[in-house]
Every structure is written in structure tokens, then in C-alpha cells.
Amino acid sequence: MKNLLYLFVAVLLFSCNSKEKKDTKNTADNLVTDEIRTDLYGSWIGRFIVAERDTTRPVTEMYSNKINILIKKITSTEVTGQSIVAGNIRPLKGFMKRTGNTFYFTLKEPGDDKNDGVFTFEIQKDTLLTGTWTAYNSKKEVTKRKFELLKKEFKYDPNAMLSEDIYMDFQNPKEPEQKEEKIKKDTINEDEEYDDSDSPLYRGASDVVYTINSSTTKLKESQLKNLKKLDLEILRNTIFARHGLSFKTKTVRQFFNDEEWYIPVSTNVNDQLTALEKENIALLKRFEKYATDSYESFGR
């Protein structure tokens, strides 16, 4: 009888201890997973603009890129997300503080990439995200950038097209051939035409880049055989831009950074391409291999 009593007490104590541990674990889990301000989750999109640059060095980094600051989770103690810009996706981790209707964030990239840094920004009235990014490496060409972002949801739109504009490849200029030195004049006539013979030359695209839709139209060889190499490159990369590819090369980024519909969300969208798009990409690449470009002065 006494042994049964001891056994009952032991079982009771074990049961209470297990319940206490379970309650403690549940409480800890609730603290960790208690998410707040989920309305701020999502992609914040805009221009990532140079604020501080080492002007003693050659310019290699673009003045402005399209950036996506993706907020994935907010708790009382931690914020996690991603930065997506210039062909890089970097994890973000930090914290949020609130003052009135303004939320202040400090989010850090890991620091194991040469381009990593820390984002400090605020979200005002849940609609506008503004702030700066500071590089960890103080010896970088660009050590600080600023941004003003709006919340946008990415959605694949096969009908998205480039705006009607002049498209020049400013990232790859070509120096003109040296010409004989001209006789210098003592006076310059006011009606004398500007001599741009020494200006850099750029390859330009034709209007097919904003009239042909390479995501919805089955391209024909007859459409492509007389196109410039740049035309073909842009038609091909517009397919990837519609799927939200974050382009690594400056040559490609320059054509899409200013498009409102373009939202970088991934560094690989191959599994998102339609069968028609894959066919068109293969055809465009085949023609790109043998196509050439013409160079001209900007504004001529």
C-alpha cells in the first residue's frame, strides 16, 4: 500500500513537471513567433541612388539602380528580410522601433560580401519608406546610397513593355577614330555647327524594342534577321525583366531600372519562363551570335 502511494506521488510530480516545462516552452514559442505589423510585409521598390562616392577614382558603379527591400517578418525583438539589387540577394536582420506613426528600422546584411552594408530607414504612414545604406567597407567607390521606396506587389505581366524612348548603351562607349587636327580659328561663328567628332560613340536600339513583344508573340526569323545586336539583346532580356530577374550586368540594368512595372525579385527565373518565351530566347540568342551594331553620337 505504501509503495503504491509513493508511485502515485512520483507520477503526479512527473506530470506536473512535464506540464510546467510544456507551458514554459509554449510561452517561449509565443514570444518568438508573435508577429506584429504584418501590413508592412512585402516588397518596397524604388531607386537606389549614390549619396557618397570617392570622386578620385574612375566611375564603375551605376548612379542609380532599382532596389527591392523585402520585409518578411517583424516581431517585438527582430526584423528579417532581404535586399534585392544589381543581381544580388542578401539576407537582412535587425530591429524596429516606433515613434508615433513612424517606424524606424535598422537592418544589416551579413558582411561576408564585399558589397554588404547596413540599411537605416523609416516608414511613414505605412506608405513611404525612406533612408540610407552605408557600406561596411569604407574604401569602396560608393560608400553611401539613399532611397525612397513605395510598397508594390510583384505580378508577372506578359504584356509589360518598355516605354517609347531612345535606348542607348551608355555603359559601353566607343571612342571615335582619330581625325586630322583641324585648323584653329581666331573667332567662332555663332551659327557654326557643334563639332562632335571627338565625342564618344554609343550603340543604339531601334523602336522594335518597344513594339515587339517577345513574351506573347512567336518570333520569326524574318523579323530578326536585320535587327541590331542591341535590339536582340533587349528583346531577350525584356522577357526576364517581366519575370522580375535582378540583372547583374550594368549593360542590361540601364534599360529597365526606370520602368515602373519592373520589380527585381529573383536572380534566377528560368523555371518561370513559358514555353513560348523559351523558344523565343533560343531564337534570339542564335541571331545575337552573328548580329552587329552601329555606333553614333548621342543626340545626333
Side-chain angles (χ1 to χ4, degrees), residues 32-51:
V32 172
T33 60
D34 186 19
E35 299 182 38
I36 59 176
R37 294 312 308 235
T38 57
D39 56 307
L40 301 180
Y41 290 12
S43 294
W44 295 81
I45 310 298
R47 294 165 67 87
F48 198 43
I49 301 172
V50 170

